[in-house]
Amino acid sequence: MTSSDLYPVSRLAAVQEATAKAGLDALLLTPGPDLRYVSGYDAKPLERLTCLVVPASGEAYMMVPRLELPAAEASPASRLGLEFVAWDETDDPYAIAAARLGRPAKVGLADRMWAMSTLRFREVLPGTEQVLAGSVLRELRMRKSPAEVAALREAGEAIDGVHRQVPELLRAGRTEREVARDIAEAILASGHATVDFVIVASGPNGASPHHDVSDRVIQAGEPVVVDIGGQLHNGYCSDSTRTYSVGEPPAEFAAYYEVLRQAQEAACQAVRPGVSCESIDAAARDVIAAAGYGEYFVHRTGHGIGIETHEEPYIVSGNGEPMEPGFAFSVEPGIYLPGRHGARIEDIVVCTDDGFERLNNTPRELVVV
């Protein structure tokens, strides 16, 4: 895949069309995932303003500090035919952007825009209503193109390769932090550009879904939850969880782990076009509740993934949005017994024309090391 596949020139026109359809006069996209999605430019988040201005009609342009102009011109954004409006140290880029915009009634601001930029735009565009650019971009970002699915597949294969190394790293007597350090090195060696997170949660720490790492020493007979992910150089993310046991686990753990495996499988099998996001959540939750562990499944079943690890759609009760081909998201039910242990199984899946594709393919059965 090339940057032209992942960040096609046609995307800008689609964004302009969506902006007009939403009744906005323009989108203002500062460094972050929204800017990268539209332009391919992974701009540095600096106090100096970089901002892609996408009007509902007319030509888009990018405000960029003169110091950053070479980087912007070398990025995929250069293929879009944009005007790069370079500003100097004594200029006010917000005032320049406002003068070019005129008197817009309503603009969309990048969802991750810094507060200082939001407030400065409010100051230079008095009377202009500000909304989230995500209200426009979500429909586009949720539907992954074949190239985006291929990028996520590559990310899934890379993180699977790291999970295959985990049994060699887990052993009694090592600390969570020592194991996590080795995993982080393996993530980078697998082709990832960044390590976004490494969770190594042993024994009772496994009952905390977002435990990070600690200096706790892993004991024989303990389950260990390993949740890892990063971002490839192309901007697309990986995320996969497997649960291991250092030696034979407690009997109660082995029993509910099998319940969890069945729940994860049920949720995956429920994925197809037209079904609601919440019905996939229910498919996992119903299996776990029927086995008597419902109160120990304390989070949503999944989240979308793309150029962010967490993005729409969210696989959670109350989200009636129907599945469409190209939706990519995690399926990661968990069972967590406070003070004892916990388990989670997570795959990234993509909704296809007639079902689903798993992008993670390491064993889901409990791996005893």
Side-chain angles (χ1 to χ4, degrees):
M1 294 157 301
T2 65
S3 62
S4 60
D5 296 320
L6 288 173
Y7 305 101
V9 172
S10 59
R11 185 170 289 163
L12 182 58
V15 170
Q16 284 193 290
E17 181 180 350
T19 301
K21 185 178 179 181
L24 275 63
D25 295 299
L27 296 186
L28 308 179
L29 306 180
T30 48
D34 289 333
L35 173 63
R36 188 168 192 178
Y37 175 78
V38 176
S39 71
Y41 181 28
D42 186 21
K44 296 177 182 177
L46 303 170
E47 76 283 2
R48 296 180 174 95
L49 178 70
T50 292
C51 183
L52 174 62
V53 180
V54 184
S57 62
E59 298 299 320
Y61 56 94
M62 187 178 293
M63 305 289 306
V64 59
R66 192 169 297 280
L67 293 173
E68 300 301 317
L69 182 59
E73 291 179 332
S75 79
S78 63
R79 295 182 293 101
L80 302 181
L82 295 170
E83 177 188 2
F84 289 101
V85 181
W87 59 274
D88 295 305
E89 295 288 76
T90 55
D91 293 333
D92 182 347
Y94 298 93
I96 295 171
R100 294 180 65 125
L101 281 165
R103 295 181 177 274
K106 190 175 183 179
V107 296
L109 306 184
D111 287 14
R112 301 289 185 268
M113 183 180 286
W114 285 357
M116 71 177 198
S117 295
T118 299
L119 295 175
R120 283 289 287 124
F121 275 122
R122 182 175 296 174
E123 179 183 333
V124 299
L125 295 170
T128 298
E129 181 182 356
Q130 296 178 340
V131 299
L132 291 176
S135 63
V136 172
L137 297 177
R138 68 180 300 275
E139 297 292 334
L140 298 171
R141 286 183 58 179
M142 281 197 301
R143 299 180 182 90
K144 268 57 180 185
S145 68
E148 290 180 284
V149 172
L152 289 169
R153 189 180 295 116
E154 180 184 350
E157 291 170 353
I159 209 68
D160 280 358
V162 178
H163 267 297
R164 292 188 187 97
Q165 299 176 54
V166 169
E168 303 170 12
L169 306 176
L170 277 177
R171 61 178 180 270
R174 300 198 77 195
T175 67
E176 294 174 348
R177 196 176 309 279
E178 288 170 339
V179 174
R181 179 198 62 213
D182 292 344
I183 290 174
E185 291 177 357
I187 291 173
L188 293 176
S190 75
H192 286 76
T194 63
V195 178
D196 289 352
F197 54 91
V198 176
I199 293 174
V200 178
S202 62
N205 288 340
S208 174
H210 278 181
H211 175 75
D212 188 8
V213 297
S214 72
D215 291 318
R216 185 180 186 279
V217 176
I218 299 168
Q219 305 295 316
E222 286 187 335
V224 183
V225 179
V226 177
D227 185 355
I228 55 178
Q231 189 177 74
L232 299 186
H233 290 277
N234 59 27
Y236 283 77
C237 298
S238 65
D239 185 5
S240 181
T241 308
R242 292 293 184 263
T243 302
Y244 303 84
S245 182
V246 180
E248 289 300 319
E252 67 168 345
F253 175 85
Y256 75 71
Y257 186 87
E258 178 56 23
V259 171
L260 179 64
R261 190 193 64 77
Q262 293 174 11
Q264 204 264 355
E265 180 67 22
C268 288
Q269 293 297 332
V271 176
R272 61 185 181 277
V275 305
S276 66
C277 291
E278 65 180 354
S279 70
I280 299 167
D281 177 86
R285 203 166 298 277
D286 289 351
V287 172
I288 292 172
Y293 295 100
E295 66 182 293
Y296 304 115
F297 180 14
V298 295
H299 55 72
R300 65 196 175 203
T301 292
H303 56 80
I305 190 169
I307 56 174
E308 291 183 275
T309 307
H310 285 197
E311 57 184 51
E312 296 194 67
Y314 294 105
I315 312 304
V316 64
S317 177
N319 184 3
E321 185 146 28
M323 283 280 124
E324 295 184 30
F327 280 17
F329 52 93
S330 67
V331 176
E332 52 175 306
I335 297 175
Y336 311 95
L337 274 59
R340 286 180 279 178
H341 31 61
R344 183 165 62 255
I345 304 170
E346 177 185 17
D347 293 325
I348 301 304
V349 304
V350 177
C351 182
T352 64
D353 290 338
D354 56 3
F356 72 97
E357 177 191 356
R358 274 190 171 101
L359 302 187
N360 297 108
N361 293 289
T362 54
R364 291 163 203 92
E365 294 76 19
L366 181 65
V367 176
V368 178
V369 301

